[in-house]
Amino acid sequence: MASIGEISGNEAALARQAEILAHPLTEDRVMANAIRALAIDAVEAAKSGHPGMPMGMADAATALWAKVLKFDAAAPDWYDRDRFILSAGHGSMLLYALLHLTGFEGMGIEEIKSFRQLHSPAAGHPEYGEHPAIEMTTGPLGQGFATAVGFALAERALAAKFGKSLVDHRTWVIAGDGCLMEGVSHEAASLAGHLKLNKLTVLWDDNAITIDGATSASTSEDTLKRFAAYGWAVKRVDGHDFAALAGALAFAQKSSRPTLIACQTVIGLGAPTKAGTAGVHGAPLGGAEAEAAKSALGWEHLPFQVPAPVYSAWKLAGSRGAAARRAWLKRLAKHPLRAEFERVMQGKLPEGWAEAMSAYKAGLAESKPKLATRQASQKALEVLVPALPELLGGSADLTGSNLTQIKGMGGIEPGNFAGRYVYYGVREFGMAAAMNGIALHGGLIPYGGTFFVFTDYMRPAIRLAALMRTRAIHVLTHDSIGLGEDGPTHQPVEHLASFRAMPNVLVLRPADAMETAEAWEIALKNTTGPSLLVLSRQGVPALRDQTGPNRAAKGAYVLQEAEGGKRHATLIATGTEVAIAMAASKALAAEGIHVAVVSAPSFELFARQDESYRAEVLGSAPRVGVEAASSYGWARWLGADGAFIGLDGFGASAPAEALYEHFNITPAAVARAVKTLVTTK
């Protein structure tokens, strides 16, 4: 049953709708009505979808796409195009209609008719990779907004490096009430306002409706004052007044700050009974209401039919940026940094970086340093940052703990984007989302640090990166009970298992400085999803003193074979626990029990190897797994008769050494497990 507030809101919305529809049909309104009609028809055909937002925001989208947005439908990969992000991804038919009408190849009327069907590029929510003009996957509310901050930040950083003759574009977002309610929008808006990302504009679909009814049921904040407090320029306009919309867009283009435009709209504009209600948000209008809506809009055409003059007007808008693109191509051809610009935008790594890492690893093999793997990561960055100018680092207010910055990087700050390090503040989710935007924009490879346990705050953005197969590198330190005295709130237990369960995520938990260097090499080459470098607070001894091929790249390998090659058991460990396994193997050897030690920094990479290699590494002897974390997921490698030394409860507050003893993650405990298995075998 609708609330009293919704009923009264509906009456006001219907009155406003009547006033809007009484105005003469201008070309702009007819173009917008084409969006509305396609949204109505596609949702009706699919028998599911969200018609309300496309119908409400069609006018604002038309004002943006037809007159302001810099793009060329013939070249969706033009590097200096404006980026458009539909943060309110449930209204996906708005985007698909725009792509269809402006003439993008691959979004023809047949694709629109297949909305929400298997293998259609017009999926229920916009999916990155399904069409070249879909800039990112959206749907989880707030993430498009937050990721757009990364797009805008990347544009500013690249402009500082290559100049505005090559990099001079804007990021535009359409967001809804839900996007601005989500907590990540607060993190992202605060960061954008602080950095004065003036080429970011958010068009807020201010329709005062959520799924539960009127927004007054759940919020009473003054959103414009909130954004003004963040340092944004703000403006409220009638979202159905084209002159007002044009003025607001011009205002945003001149602003020295990011801009929020509150577009006051009627959700489901045109629907005779459902407009202005939650009922038009996420369900088909129904046959009678759909026909009546199109009639009220003055759209007297069969389903999925758009008159030739309307197509012509939209195709003109789609080709409007062609001249600007040709001029840009001429500038690019003459630019002294053309080769470097094209290299970074194509995501190709530079020549020489691999050789620099090889020399560094040779030094590690000789010096055999005892380091925490977080320290080893910083040492690797001292080689990588100079060798890869596209690396853009950062941390969520833990720079001194994550060790993600090296001398000379310089910090990005308001008005100065020449640095290579972002101080994200205590905004883990916002950081991860911005990193996704930086990576999706192209030209930069983002890495960002926090404690591993705080991936709980970032998980939705990491999952979205996995869905989009985005190259973002997360430096996640303090990886276990080894962080010690900060206690169980800061000690990750289930996190390794949870990310190993997430498709397209590459989890790397290196054992020493050599493996940490190899993990960085793997992460930089991984272009099919995010990489997680899971690193220790406590020091670990050097376990490898040989150079050569990247052994961690196979996910697991025999670090030490059993004496004589005949195994009584196989120890499999990751990260800091590899040293524990090595110590156990030495103690067992003294008792005549010979074991192989396998280092397994990445379950995902190991799973990709052929069966013969896996069998060779794992062997046929009983297996013992060692990891200061949950046992979940280890059964695959240990088999039915294996044993696990780890932690299936939460940690405690104490020095690291005491915690390892307390939880029986020790060489002695490993040795006991092996002897039990060998005795019972």
Side-chain angles (χ1 to χ4, degrees):
M1 180 180 293
S3 67
I4 293 175
E6 185 177 331
I7 293 171
S8 60
N10 180 218
E11 292 172 351
L14 291 177
R16 185 175 174 218
Q17 172 173 275
E19 181 181 349
I20 293 166
L21 297 181
H23 292 163
L25 279 176
T26 62
E27 181 182 64
D28 288 336
R29 179 58 51 74
V30 173
M31 292 172 70
N33 284 345
I35 296 172
R36 294 184 173 100
L38 288 173
I40 291 169
D41 293 340
V43 172
E44 289 298 313
K47 297 182 174 59
S48 71
H50 300 76
M53 194 280 275
M55 295 170 72
M57 281 297 282
D59 295 330
T62 299
L64 175 64
W65 278 66
K67 305 288 174 60
V68 176
L69 191 74
K70 184 172 75 169
F71 75 105
D72 182 355
D77 59 350
W78 173 24
Y79 293 139
D80 203 37
R81 69 191 180 278
D82 282 357
R83 270 55 169 187
F84 174 77
I85 296 164
L86 186 66
S87 186
H90 57 273
S92 56
M93 265 309 304
L94 177 71
L95 176 58
Y96 304 147
L98 287 163
L99 299 182
H100 169 68
L101 292 166
T102 53
F104 280 90
E105 187 176 347
M107 196 58 77
I109 199 64
E110 292 306 314
E111 284 74 23
I112 298 295
K113 289 179 179 179
S114 68
F115 176 56
R116 286 184 158 236
Q117 305 309 302
L118 188 63
H119 304 309
S120 172
H125 291 82
E127 301 289 347
Y128 180 73
E130 291 297 323
H131 188 278
I134 298 173
E135 300 286 1
M136 68 169 291
T137 296
T138 55
L141 293 180
Q143 285 212 59
F145 179 106
T147 305
V149 173
F151 276 93
L153 179 54
E155 190 275 344
R156 292 288 76 202
L158 290 168
K161 180 177 180 179
F162 293 105
K164 67 181 299 183
S165 64
L166 291 187
V167 184
D168 185 18
H169 54 266
R170 308 185 68 86
T171 302
W172 303 90
V173 181
I174 285 182
D177 290 296
C179 292
L180 302 191
M181 288 183 188
E182 287 287 356
V184 72
S185 77
H186 296 252
E187 295 182 24
S190 177
L191 179 63
H194 168 70
L195 291 176
K196 293 183 170 59
L197 296 177
N198 66 302
K199 302 185 83 173
L200 171 65
T201 301
V202 176
L203 280 68
W204 166 32
D205 182 15
D206 182 13
N207 59 35
I209 290 292
T210 61
I211 292 174
D212 280 352
T215 54
S216 58
S218 58
T219 182
S220 55
E221 69 181 26
D222 187 323
T223 301
L224 293 190
K225 286 184 178 179
R226 170 188 149 199
F227 274 78
Y230 290 142
W232 287 54
V234 297
K235 196 172 188 65
R236 175 173 279 118
V237 298
D238 182 339
H240 303 296
D241 183 328
F242 284 95
L245 287 164
L249 295 172
F251 167 78
Q253 290 174 298
K254 296 173 184 175
S255 176
S256 60
R257 296 174 289 169
T259 304
L260 177 74
I261 301 172
C263 303
Q264 293 187 302
T265 61
V266 175
I267 187 172
L269 183 77
T273 66
K274 295 183 178 181
T277 73
V280 78
H281 166 81
L285 297 182
E289 182 89 359
E291 287 304 312
K294 289 195 285 185
S295 178
L297 293 167
W299 191 265
E300 305 292 346
H301 309 288
L302 293 174
F304 299 107
Q305 285 194 358
V306 177
V310 180
Y311 267 132
S312 295
W314 271 115
K315 294 293 173 58
L316 183 63
S319 62
R320 182 174 44 80
R325 183 175 66 88
R326 288 193 296 269
W328 179 85
L329 286 170
K330 290 179 181 178
R331 295 196 300 274
L332 175 65
K334 299 176 182 178
H335 202 285
L337 296 177
R338 174 184 177 179
E340 176 68 0
F341 178 78
E342 291 182 328
R343 179 190 71 78
V344 298
M345 292 304 296
Q346 291 165 7
K348 296 179 180 178
L349 299 178
E351 294 182 4
W353 81 275
E355 290 76 9
M357 284 298 285
S358 294
Y360 167 65
K361 290 191 294 181
L364 290 177
E366 184 176 343
S367 62
K368 305 179 186 65
K370 179 178 180 179
L371 296 169
T373 52
R374 62 174 178 147
Q375 292 174 307
S377 172
Q378 187 179 46
K379 296 289 185 185
L381 285 171
E382 289 173 356
V383 178
L384 291 169
V385 170
L388 290 105
E390 59 265 48
L391 275 180
L392 182 67
S395 173
D397 198 49
L398 287 167
T399 296
S401 294
N402 302 146
L403 303 180
T404 40
Q405 188 177 38
I406 68 166
K407 290 181 180 179
M409 289 188 79
I412 283 178
E413 56 190 25
N416 181 6
F417 297 93
R420 297 180 61 187
Y421 196 82
V422 184
Y423 294 99
Y424 286 103
V426 188
R427 304 183 181 101
E428 294 90 352
F429 192 175
M431 174 180 73
M435 287 170 59
N436 288 347
I438 292 166
L440 289 166
H441 179 280
L444 297 166
I445 301 174
Y447 72 87
T450 188
F451 287 0
F452 187 30
V453 77
F454 297 142
T455 53
D456 285 337
Y457 291 135
M458 319 160 53
R459 190 176 304 272
I462 295 175
R463 184 176 188 271
L464 211 57
L467 271 169
M468 297 185 289
R469 296 181 174 269
T470 300
R471 177 166 57 181
I473 302 173
H474 296 277
V475 179
L476 304 169
T477 69
H478 298 60
D479 68 350
S480 66
I481 57 170
L483 76 83
E485 294 86 347
D486 277 347
T489 58
H490 285 52
Q491 293 166 0
V493 172
E494 74 281 14
H495 299 68
L496 283 166
S498 70
F499 282 112
R500 287 169 178 158
M502 190 178 288
N504 304 335
V505 175
L506 187 57
V507 181
L508 298 155
R509 189 171 186 246
D512 66 356
M514 183 71 75
E515 276 194 7
T516 303
E518 291 180 338
W520 265 108
E521 290 178 324
I522 293 165
L524 286 164
K525 293 178 181 178
N526 178 28
T527 58
T528 60
S531 298
L532 277 55
L533 274 62
V534 183
L535 307 173
S536 73
R537 177 182 185 242
Q538 74 273 34
V540 287
L543 302 173
R544 295 243 310 269
D545 59 3
Q546 75 275 29
T547 57
N550 187 319
R551 301 188 75 187
K554 289 194 172 182
Y557 62 95
V558 179
L559 176 63
Q560 176 185 276
E561 187 54 271
E563 186 177 331
K566 182 173 176 57
R567 303 182 188 182
H568 291 106
T570 299
L571 305 182
I572 309 168
T574 80
T576 48
E577 287 71 68
V578 178
I580 291 174
M582 290 290 282
S585 73
K586 185 176 181 180
L588 288 164
E591 299 183 44
I593 301 173
H594 302 295
V595 301
V597 177
V598 171
S599 178
S602 176
F603 285 12
E604 297 81 24
L605 291 177
F606 189 50
R608 295 177 195 171
Q609 307 309 310
D610 59 58
E611 188 176 345
S612 62
Y613 175 78
R614 295 199 303 268
E616 177 188 344
V617 170
L618 297 174
S620 57
R623 303 165 193 164
V624 177
V626 192
E627 188 171 68
S630 166
S631 63
Y632 196 86
W634 270 89
R636 178 179 186 183
W637 311 123
L638 300 181
D641 299 326
F644 180 76
I645 304 297
L647 193 72
D648 277 324
F650 291 116
S653 176
E657 298 83 357
L659 290 171
Y660 274 85
E661 288 286 345
H662 176 72
F663 289 107
N664 290 313
I665 307 174
T666 63
V670 175
R672 285 194 297 271
V674 168
K675 286 187 277 189
T676 299
L677 286 177
V678 170
T679 301
T680 58
K681 180 70 173 175

